[in-house]
Amino acid sequence: MSDLQIRSATLPDIDAVLTFWREAAEGTSISDDRDGVARLIDRDPDALILAERDGRLVGSVIAGFDGWRCHLYRLAVHPEHRRQGIGSALLTAAEERFVALGGRRGDAMVLERNETGQHAWRAAGYAPEEQWRRWVKHLTT
């Protein structure tokens, strides 16, 4: 793992991140475009955390903190690099960020159909809270 680099994304990373998500992430988001990722980086330059190995993007996580809650999105590891500790390294970086910002609890968005992701989150100490449901309203068409 010593060859793994963990760093914050920058604006020049946007195209690589979008390509990576199409290859490695489960599902898509309404914000999966250049403008959406640029807004994230501009608003909170440390929220999008990347893992690189040999100069190649192999993992990502969004660690968003709104001052009240710690939200995790887009934890993804390239299929060829899974089960090598990359997801754990990304979550450690995210959790360290949250603690430094005063966060108390992290929550993750995990698709119900994403069994691989659910196993990874459980292994990292996260658990579903069945009493909660996500309610969504699209603000743009």
Side-chain angles (χ1 to χ4, degrees), residues 103-116:
R104 298 179 185 178
R105 176 182 68 189
D107 65 57
M109 299 289 296
V110 185
L111 291 170
E112 286 186 23
R113 70 173 188 263
N114 186 354
E115 290 185 31
T116 301

Side-chain angles (χ1 to χ4, degrees), residues 6 28 36-37 53 58 78 87 92 97 100 112-113 115 123 126-127:
I6 303 290
T28 58
V37 178
R53 179 171 279 152
V58 295
H78 193 278
T92 295
R97 168 180 155 74
E112 286 186 23
R113 70 173 188 263
E115 290 185 31
Y126 291 78

Side-chain angles (χ1 to χ4, degrees), residues 79-126:
E80 296 173 9
H81 295 269
R82 291 183 180 154
R83 305 200 52 82
Q84 299 175 24
I86 295 168
S88 294
L90 286 163
L91 285 177
T92 295
E95 291 166 357
E96 288 172 353
R97 168 180 155 74
F98 291 152
V99 169
L101 292 169
R104 298 179 185 178
R105 176 182 68 189
D107 65 57
M109 299 289 296
V110 185
L111 291 170
E112 286 186 23
R113 70 173 188 263
N114 186 354
E115 290 185 31
T116 301
Q118 290 179 31
H119 291 295
W121 285 104
R122 277 191 180 90
Y126 291 78

Side-chain angles (χ1 to χ4, degrees), residues 2 10 12 29 32 41 52 57 59 81 91 94 106 118 122 127 132-133 135:
S2 63
T10 61
S29 167
D32 286 359
I41 293 170
E52 295 178 325
L57 181 57
H81 295 269
L91 285 177
Q118 290 179 31
R122 277 191 180 90
W132 296 101
R133 292 290 178 257
W135 291 44

Side-chain angles (χ1 to χ4, degrees), residues 19-34:
T19 298
F20 171 76
W21 285 344
R22 282 191 296 274
E23 296 172 356
E26 186 73 28
T28 58
S29 167
I30 193 170
S31 302
D32 286 359
D33 57 31
R34 289 188 55 70

